[in-house]
Short mmCIF file of all heavy atoms in Angstrom, two decimals:
data_model
loop_
_atom_site.label_atom_id
_atom_site.label_comp_id
_atom_site.label_asym_id
_atom_site.label_seq_id
_atom_site.Cartn_x
_atom_site.Cartn_y
_atom_site.Cartn_z
N ALA A 193 25.11 9.90 21.72
CA ALA A 193 24.50 10.51 20.53
C ALA A 193 24.87 9.82 19.23
O ALA A 193 24.07 9.74 18.31
CB ALA A 193 24.89 11.98 20.46
N GLY A 194 26.12 9.32 19.16
CA GLY A 194 26.61 8.87 17.86
C GLY A 194 26.97 7.39 17.80
O GLY A 194 27.54 6.95 16.80
N VAL A 195 26.65 6.64 18.83
CA VAL A 195 26.99 5.21 18.83
C VAL A 195 25.69 4.39 18.85
O VAL A 195 24.91 4.47 19.80
CB VAL A 195 27.88 4.84 20.05
CG1 VAL A 195 28.21 3.35 20.05
CG2 VAL A 195 29.16 5.67 20.07
N GLY A 196 25.49 3.62 17.79
CA GLY A 196 24.29 2.80 17.68
C GLY A 196 24.34 1.63 18.66
O GLY A 196 25.41 1.15 19.03
N ASP A 197 23.15 1.18 19.06
CA ASP A 197 23.08 0.07 20.00
C ASP A 197 22.12 -1.01 19.52
O ASP A 197 21.57 -1.77 20.29
CB ASP A 197 22.64 0.58 21.39
CG ASP A 197 21.39 1.45 21.30
OD1 ASP A 197 20.72 1.42 20.25
OD2 ASP A 197 21.09 2.16 22.27
N ASN A 198 21.92 -1.01 18.20
CA ASN A 198 20.95 -1.97 17.67
C ASN A 198 21.39 -2.49 16.29
O ASN A 198 20.60 -2.53 15.35
CB ASN A 198 19.57 -1.27 17.57
CG ASN A 198 18.44 -2.26 17.49
OD1 ASN A 198 18.56 -3.40 17.92
ND2 ASN A 198 17.32 -1.84 16.91
N PHE A 199 22.67 -2.87 16.19
CA PHE A 199 23.18 -3.38 14.91
C PHE A 199 22.74 -4.83 14.74
O PHE A 199 22.79 -5.62 15.70
CB PHE A 199 24.71 -3.28 14.87
CG PHE A 199 25.21 -1.89 14.68
CD1 PHE A 199 25.54 -1.09 15.76
CD2 PHE A 199 25.33 -1.35 13.39
CE1 PHE A 199 26.01 0.22 15.58
CE2 PHE A 199 25.79 -0.04 13.20
CZ PHE A 199 26.12 0.73 14.29
N GLN A 200 22.34 -5.15 13.52
CA GLN A 200 21.92 -6.51 13.21
C GLN A 200 23.07 -7.50 13.40
O GLN A 200 24.20 -7.19 12.99
CB GLN A 200 21.44 -6.57 11.76
CG GLN A 200 19.99 -6.90 11.67
CD GLN A 200 19.59 -7.18 10.24
OE1 GLN A 200 20.39 -7.06 9.32
NE2 GLN A 200 18.35 -7.56 10.06
N GLY A 201 22.79 -8.62 14.02
CA GLY A 201 23.80 -9.67 14.16
C GLY A 201 24.91 -9.32 15.13
O GLY A 201 25.98 -9.92 15.07
N ALA A 202 24.68 -8.34 16.01
CA ALA A 202 25.73 -7.96 16.97
C ALA A 202 25.13 -7.87 18.38
O ALA A 202 25.34 -6.89 19.10
CB ALA A 202 26.35 -6.63 16.56
N THR A 203 24.42 -8.90 18.76
CA THR A 203 23.67 -8.87 20.02
C THR A 203 24.56 -8.54 21.21
O THR A 203 24.22 -7.70 22.04
CB THR A 203 22.98 -10.24 20.25
OG1 THR A 203 22.38 -10.61 19.02
CG2 THR A 203 21.92 -10.17 21.33
N LEU A 204 25.71 -9.21 21.28
CA LEU A 204 26.58 -9.01 22.45
C LEU A 204 27.11 -7.58 22.51
O LEU A 204 27.10 -6.92 23.55
CB LEU A 204 27.76 -9.98 22.40
CG LEU A 204 27.49 -11.36 23.01
CD1 LEU A 204 28.75 -12.21 22.96
CD2 LEU A 204 26.97 -11.24 24.45
N LYS A 205 27.58 -7.12 21.33
CA LYS A 205 28.12 -5.74 21.26
C LYS A 205 27.01 -4.73 21.61
O LYS A 205 27.24 -3.78 22.37
CB LYS A 205 28.67 -5.47 19.87
CG LYS A 205 29.43 -4.18 19.80
CD LYS A 205 30.04 -3.94 18.43
CE LYS A 205 30.49 -2.49 18.32
NZ LYS A 205 30.40 -1.94 17.01
N ASN A 206 25.81 -4.96 21.07
CA ASN A 206 24.69 -4.05 21.37
C ASN A 206 24.43 -3.99 22.87
O ASN A 206 24.21 -2.92 23.44
CB ASN A 206 23.40 -4.52 20.67
CG ASN A 206 23.48 -4.34 19.16
OD1 ASN A 206 24.23 -3.51 18.65
ND2 ASN A 206 22.71 -5.15 18.44
N LYS A 207 24.45 -5.15 23.50
CA LYS A 207 24.19 -5.21 24.95
C LYS A 207 25.27 -4.45 25.71
O LYS A 207 24.97 -3.71 26.66
CB LYS A 207 24.19 -6.68 25.43
CG LYS A 207 22.91 -7.42 25.16
CD LYS A 207 22.10 -7.53 26.46
CE LYS A 207 20.67 -8.00 26.25
NZ LYS A 207 19.72 -7.01 25.85
N ALA A 208 26.53 -4.65 25.30
CA ALA A 208 27.63 -3.98 25.99
C ALA A 208 27.51 -2.46 25.83
O ALA A 208 27.67 -1.70 26.80
CB ALA A 208 28.97 -4.47 25.43
N VAL A 209 27.18 -2.01 24.61
CA VAL A 209 27.05 -0.57 24.36
C VAL A 209 25.89 -0.01 25.19
O VAL A 209 26.00 1.05 25.84
CB VAL A 209 26.84 -0.28 22.85
CG1 VAL A 209 26.43 1.16 22.61
CG2 VAL A 209 28.12 -0.59 22.09
N GLU A 210 24.79 -0.74 25.21
CA GLU A 210 23.61 -0.28 25.97
C GLU A 210 23.96 -0.14 27.45
O GLU A 210 23.62 0.86 28.10
CB GLU A 210 22.48 -1.28 25.78
CG GLU A 210 21.15 -0.76 26.26
CD GLU A 210 20.03 -1.78 26.09
OE1 GLU A 210 20.29 -2.91 25.60
OE2 GLU A 210 18.89 -1.45 26.47
N MET A 211 24.69 -1.12 27.95
CA MET A 211 25.06 -1.09 29.37
C MET A 211 25.96 0.13 29.65
O MET A 211 25.76 0.86 30.61
CB MET A 211 25.80 -2.38 29.71
CG MET A 211 26.09 -2.57 31.17
SD MET A 211 27.39 -3.81 31.33
CE MET A 211 28.85 -2.89 30.87
N MET A 212 26.95 0.35 28.77
CA MET A 212 27.86 1.47 29.00
C MET A 212 27.13 2.81 28.83
O MET A 212 27.40 3.75 29.57
CB MET A 212 29.05 1.38 28.04
CG MET A 212 30.00 0.24 28.40
SD MET A 212 31.53 0.31 27.46
CE MET A 212 30.97 -0.09 25.83
N LYS A 213 26.18 2.85 27.90
CA LYS A 213 25.39 4.09 27.75
C LYS A 213 24.63 4.36 29.04
O LYS A 213 24.65 5.48 29.56
CB LYS A 213 24.39 3.95 26.59
CG LYS A 213 24.97 4.12 25.22
CD LYS A 213 23.86 4.18 24.17
CE LYS A 213 24.40 4.47 22.80
NZ LYS A 213 23.37 4.79 21.81
N ASN A 214 23.97 3.34 29.55
CA ASN A 214 23.17 3.53 30.77
C ASN A 214 24.04 3.98 31.93
O ASN A 214 23.65 4.83 32.72
CB ASN A 214 22.41 2.25 31.14
CG ASN A 214 21.29 1.99 30.15
OD1 ASN A 214 20.80 2.93 29.51
ND2 ASN A 214 20.90 0.73 29.99
N LYS A 215 25.24 3.42 32.01
CA LYS A 215 26.15 3.81 33.10
C LYS A 215 26.67 5.23 32.91
O LYS A 215 26.97 5.93 33.87
CB LYS A 215 27.33 2.83 33.17
CG LYS A 215 27.02 1.54 33.90
CD LYS A 215 28.32 0.80 34.21
CE LYS A 215 28.08 -0.55 34.83
NZ LYS A 215 27.45 -0.52 36.13
N SER A 216 26.81 5.65 31.66
CA SER A 216 27.38 6.98 31.37
C SER A 216 26.41 8.12 31.66
O SER A 216 26.84 9.21 32.05
CB SER A 216 27.75 7.10 29.89
OG SER A 216 28.73 6.19 29.53
N ILE A 217 25.12 7.87 31.42
CA ILE A 217 24.17 8.99 31.38
C ILE A 217 24.17 9.82 32.67
O ILE A 217 24.20 11.06 32.63
CB ILE A 217 22.76 8.48 30.99
CG1 ILE A 217 22.77 8.19 29.48
CG2 ILE A 217 21.66 9.50 31.32
CD1 ILE A 217 21.54 7.48 28.95
N SER A 218 24.17 9.16 33.83
CA SER A 218 24.12 9.93 35.08
C SER A 218 25.44 10.67 35.31
O SER A 218 25.47 11.78 35.84
CB SER A 218 23.78 9.02 36.26
OG SER A 218 24.75 8.00 36.33
N LYS A 219 26.54 10.05 34.90
CA LYS A 219 27.86 10.70 35.06
C LYS A 219 27.93 11.97 34.20
O LYS A 219 28.45 13.00 34.62
CB LYS A 219 28.98 9.74 34.63
CG LYS A 219 29.17 8.55 35.57
CD LYS A 219 30.41 7.77 35.14
CE LYS A 219 30.90 6.80 36.16
NZ LYS A 219 30.23 5.61 36.44
N ILE A 220 27.39 11.86 32.99
CA ILE A 220 27.38 13.01 32.07
C ILE A 220 26.57 14.16 32.67
O ILE A 220 27.02 15.31 32.72
CB ILE A 220 26.77 12.58 30.71
CG1 ILE A 220 27.72 11.64 29.97
CG2 ILE A 220 26.38 13.77 29.86
CD1 ILE A 220 27.11 10.90 28.79
N ALA A 221 25.39 13.82 33.17
CA ALA A 221 24.50 14.85 33.73
C ALA A 221 25.17 15.53 34.92
O ALA A 221 25.12 16.75 35.08
CB ALA A 221 23.17 14.21 34.15
N ASP A 222 25.82 14.71 35.75
CA ASP A 222 26.48 15.24 36.94
C ASP A 222 27.63 16.18 36.55
O ASP A 222 27.76 17.28 37.10
CB ASP A 222 27.00 14.03 37.75
CG ASP A 222 27.62 14.46 39.04
OD1 ASP A 222 26.92 15.14 39.82
OD2 ASP A 222 28.81 14.15 39.27
N ARG A 223 28.42 15.75 35.57
CA ARG A 223 29.58 16.57 35.16
C ARG A 223 29.11 17.91 34.56
O ARG A 223 29.65 18.96 34.85
CB ARG A 223 30.44 15.80 34.15
CG ARG A 223 31.88 16.29 34.14
CD ARG A 223 32.72 15.56 33.11
NE ARG A 223 32.76 14.13 33.31
CZ ARG A 223 33.24 13.27 32.41
NH1 ARG A 223 33.73 13.72 31.28
NH2 ARG A 223 33.24 11.98 32.65
N ARG A 224 28.08 17.82 33.73
CA ARG A 224 27.60 19.06 33.09
C ARG A 224 26.99 20.00 34.12
O ARG A 224 27.22 21.21 34.09
CB ARG A 224 26.59 18.72 31.99
CG ARG A 224 26.20 19.92 31.18
CD ARG A 224 25.71 19.62 29.77
NE ARG A 224 25.06 18.35 29.59
CZ ARG A 224 25.12 17.65 28.44
NH1 ARG A 224 25.78 18.11 27.42
NH2 ARG A 224 24.49 16.50 28.34
N SER A 225 26.23 19.42 35.05
CA SER A 225 25.58 20.25 36.06
C SER A 225 26.62 20.96 36.93
O SER A 225 26.51 22.17 37.21
CB SER A 225 24.68 19.33 36.90
OG SER A 225 24.31 19.97 38.07
N LYS A 226 27.66 20.23 37.33
CA LYS A 226 28.71 20.84 38.16
C LYS A 226 29.44 21.95 37.39
O LYS A 226 29.80 22.98 37.96
CB LYS A 226 29.71 19.77 38.61
CG LYS A 226 29.16 18.91 39.73
CD LYS A 226 30.19 17.91 40.19
CE LYS A 226 29.68 17.13 41.40
NZ LYS A 226 30.15 15.76 41.41
N ALA A 227 29.65 21.72 36.11
CA ALA A 227 30.34 22.74 35.30
C ALA A 227 29.50 24.01 35.20
O ALA A 227 30.01 25.13 35.35
CB ALA A 227 30.64 22.19 33.90
N VAL A 228 28.20 23.83 34.98
CA VAL A 228 27.31 25.01 34.89
C VAL A 228 27.35 25.78 36.21
O VAL A 228 27.48 27.02 36.23
CB VAL A 228 25.85 24.57 34.56
CG1 VAL A 228 24.88 25.73 34.70
CG2 VAL A 228 25.78 23.98 33.15
N ASP A 229 27.29 25.06 37.33
CA ASP A 229 27.30 25.72 38.64
C ASP A 229 28.59 26.50 38.86
O ASP A 229 28.58 27.62 39.35
CB ASP A 229 27.12 24.69 39.77
CG ASP A 229 25.71 24.11 39.78
OD1 ASP A 229 24.83 24.71 39.11
OD2 ASP A 229 25.49 23.06 40.43
N LEU A 230 29.72 25.87 38.48
CA LEU A 230 31.01 26.54 38.69
C LEU A 230 31.09 27.82 37.84
O LEU A 230 31.54 28.87 38.31
CB LEU A 230 32.15 25.58 38.32
CG LEU A 230 33.55 26.12 38.61
CD1 LEU A 230 33.79 26.30 40.11
CD2 LEU A 230 34.62 25.19 38.04
N ILE A 231 30.64 27.72 36.61
CA ILE A 231 30.68 28.89 35.72
C ILE A 231 29.84 30.03 36.32
O ILE A 231 30.24 31.19 36.33
CB ILE A 231 30.21 28.50 34.30
CG1 ILE A 231 31.26 27.59 33.63
CG2 ILE A 231 29.97 29.73 33.43
CD1 ILE A 231 30.84 26.95 32.33
N LYS A 232 28.69 29.64 36.85
CA LYS A 232 27.82 30.65 37.49
C LYS A 232 28.49 31.26 38.71
O LYS A 232 28.42 32.47 38.93
CB LYS A 232 26.49 30.00 37.89
CG LYS A 232 25.54 29.90 36.73
CD LYS A 232 24.14 29.51 37.19
CE LYS A 232 23.25 29.27 35.99
NZ LYS A 232 22.19 28.29 36.27
N GLU A 233 29.15 30.41 39.51
CA GLU A 233 29.85 30.92 40.70
C GLU A 233 30.85 32.01 40.33
O GLU A 233 31.10 32.93 41.10
CB GLU A 233 30.63 29.78 41.38
CG GLU A 233 29.86 29.00 42.43
CD GLU A 233 30.66 27.79 42.88
OE1 GLU A 233 31.89 27.89 43.05
OE2 GLU A 233 30.02 26.71 43.01
N TYR A 234 31.44 31.87 39.16
CA TYR A 234 32.42 32.86 38.71
C TYR A 234 31.74 34.10 38.12
O TYR A 234 32.40 34.98 37.59
CB TYR A 234 33.38 32.23 37.70
CG TYR A 234 34.59 31.57 38.36
CD1 TYR A 234 34.46 30.34 38.97
CD2 TYR A 234 35.83 32.21 38.39
CE1 TYR A 234 35.55 29.73 39.59
CE2 TYR A 234 36.92 31.61 39.00
CZ TYR A 234 36.78 30.38 39.60
OH TYR A 234 37.87 29.80 40.22
N GLY A 235 30.44 34.10 38.12
CA GLY A 235 29.71 35.31 37.73
C GLY A 235 29.34 35.40 36.25
O GLY A 235 28.90 36.44 35.79
N HIS A 236 29.54 34.32 35.52
CA HIS A 236 29.19 34.37 34.10
C HIS A 236 27.71 33.98 33.91
O HIS A 236 27.20 33.14 34.64
CB HIS A 236 30.06 33.41 33.28
CG HIS A 236 31.52 33.71 33.42
ND1 HIS A 236 32.14 34.72 32.73
CD2 HIS A 236 32.48 33.14 34.20
CE1 HIS A 236 33.42 34.76 33.06
NE2 HIS A 236 33.65 33.81 33.95
N VAL A 237 27.09 34.59 32.94
CA VAL A 237 25.69 34.27 32.66
C VAL A 237 25.65 33.49 31.34
O VAL A 237 25.99 34.01 30.28
CB VAL A 237 24.83 35.56 32.54
CG1 VAL A 237 23.38 35.20 32.23
CG2 VAL A 237 24.94 36.37 33.82
N LEU A 238 25.28 32.22 31.45
CA LEU A 238 25.28 31.37 30.24
C LEU A 238 23.98 31.55 29.45
O LEU A 238 22.89 31.31 29.97
CB LEU A 238 25.44 29.90 30.65
CG LEU A 238 26.82 29.50 31.17
CD1 LEU A 238 26.82 28.04 31.64
CD2 LEU A 238 27.89 29.70 30.09
N LYS A 239 24.14 31.96 28.19
CA LYS A 239 22.96 32.05 27.32
C LYS A 239 22.64 30.68 26.73
O LYS A 239 21.52 30.41 26.34
CB LYS A 239 23.25 33.00 26.16
CG LYS A 239 23.38 34.45 26.57
CD LYS A 239 23.53 35.29 25.30
CE LYS A 239 23.85 36.72 25.64
NZ LYS A 239 24.48 37.42 24.50
N VAL A 240 23.69 29.86 26.61
CA VAL A 240 23.54 28.56 25.94
C VAL A 240 24.19 27.46 26.77
O VAL A 240 25.35 27.59 27.16
CB VAL A 240 24.24 28.60 24.55
CG1 VAL A 240 24.29 27.22 23.92
CG2 VAL A 240 23.58 29.60 23.62
N VAL A 241 23.43 26.42 27.06
CA VAL A 241 24.03 25.18 27.59
C VAL A 241 23.61 24.09 26.62
O VAL A 241 22.47 23.64 26.61
CB VAL A 241 23.58 24.86 29.03
CG1 VAL A 241 24.22 23.56 29.51
CG2 VAL A 241 23.92 26.00 29.98
N ASN A 242 24.56 23.73 25.76
CA ASN A 242 24.24 22.85 24.62
C ASN A 242 24.70 21.41 24.88
O ASN A 242 25.74 21.20 25.51
CB ASN A 242 24.96 23.41 23.38
CG ASN A 242 24.78 22.52 22.17
OD1 ASN A 242 25.44 21.50 22.01
ND2 ASN A 242 23.85 22.89 21.31
N GLY A 243 23.92 20.49 24.40
CA GLY A 243 24.33 19.09 24.54
C GLY A 243 23.76 18.24 23.44
O GLY A 243 22.87 18.65 22.70
N GLY A 244 24.31 17.06 23.33
CA GLY A 244 23.71 16.00 22.54
C GLY A 244 23.84 16.06 21.04
O GLY A 244 24.54 16.90 20.48
N GLY A 245 23.14 15.13 20.48
CA GLY A 245 23.07 14.94 19.04
C GLY A 245 21.87 14.03 18.77
O GLY A 245 21.15 13.64 19.71
N THR A 246 21.69 13.67 17.52
CA THR A 246 20.51 12.90 17.11
C THR A 246 20.22 11.70 18.01
O THR A 246 19.07 11.44 18.36
CB THR A 246 20.72 12.40 15.65
OG1 THR A 246 20.84 13.55 14.81
CG2 THR A 246 19.59 11.51 15.18
N GLY A 247 21.28 10.98 18.40
CA GLY A 247 21.06 9.74 19.13
C GLY A 247 20.85 9.89 20.63
O GLY A 247 20.60 8.89 21.31
N SER A 248 20.96 11.13 21.15
CA SER A 248 20.91 11.27 22.61
C SER A 248 19.79 12.20 23.08
O SER A 248 19.77 12.60 24.25
CB SER A 248 22.24 11.81 23.15
OG SER A 248 22.34 13.20 22.87
N ILE A 249 18.90 12.56 22.17
CA ILE A 249 17.91 13.61 22.51
C ILE A 249 17.23 13.30 23.85
O ILE A 249 17.15 14.16 24.73
CB ILE A 249 16.85 13.74 21.39
CG1 ILE A 249 17.51 14.22 20.10
CG2 ILE A 249 15.75 14.69 21.81
CD1 ILE A 249 16.57 14.30 18.90
N GLU A 250 16.77 12.07 24.02
CA GLU A 250 15.97 11.73 25.20
C GLU A 250 16.73 11.99 26.49
O GLU A 250 16.18 12.57 27.44
CB GLU A 250 15.52 10.26 25.16
CG GLU A 250 14.46 9.92 24.13
CD GLU A 250 14.97 9.85 22.69
OE1 GLU A 250 16.19 9.96 22.47
OE2 GLU A 250 14.13 9.68 21.79
N SER A 251 17.99 11.56 26.55
CA SER A 251 18.72 11.74 27.81
C SER A 251 19.23 13.17 27.96
O SER A 251 19.25 13.71 29.07
CB SER A 251 19.88 10.74 27.91
OG SER A 251 20.75 10.87 26.81
#
Side-chain angles (χ1 to χ4, degrees):
V195 179
D197 50 14
N198 199 24
F199 286 94
Q200 244 190 357
T203 315
L204 274 183
K205 189 178 166 212
N206 291 336
K207 280 257 168 278
V209 169
E210 193 181 1
M211 187 198 76
M212 289 190 291
K213 281 189 175 191
N214 289 336
K215 279 194 185 296
S216 297
I217 285 171
S218 58
K219 291 187 165 72
I220 290 166
D222 183 56
R223 205 182 301 168
R224 187 155 30 212
S225 165
K226 284 182 175 146
V228 171
D229 290 345
L230 185 66
I231 291 171
K232 279 191 186 151
E233 271 172 40
Y234 272 77
H236 302 281
V237 180
L238 289 175
K239 291 185 188 159
V240 172
V241 179
N242 176 281
T246 298
S248 76
I249 296 176
E250 288 76 5
S251 57

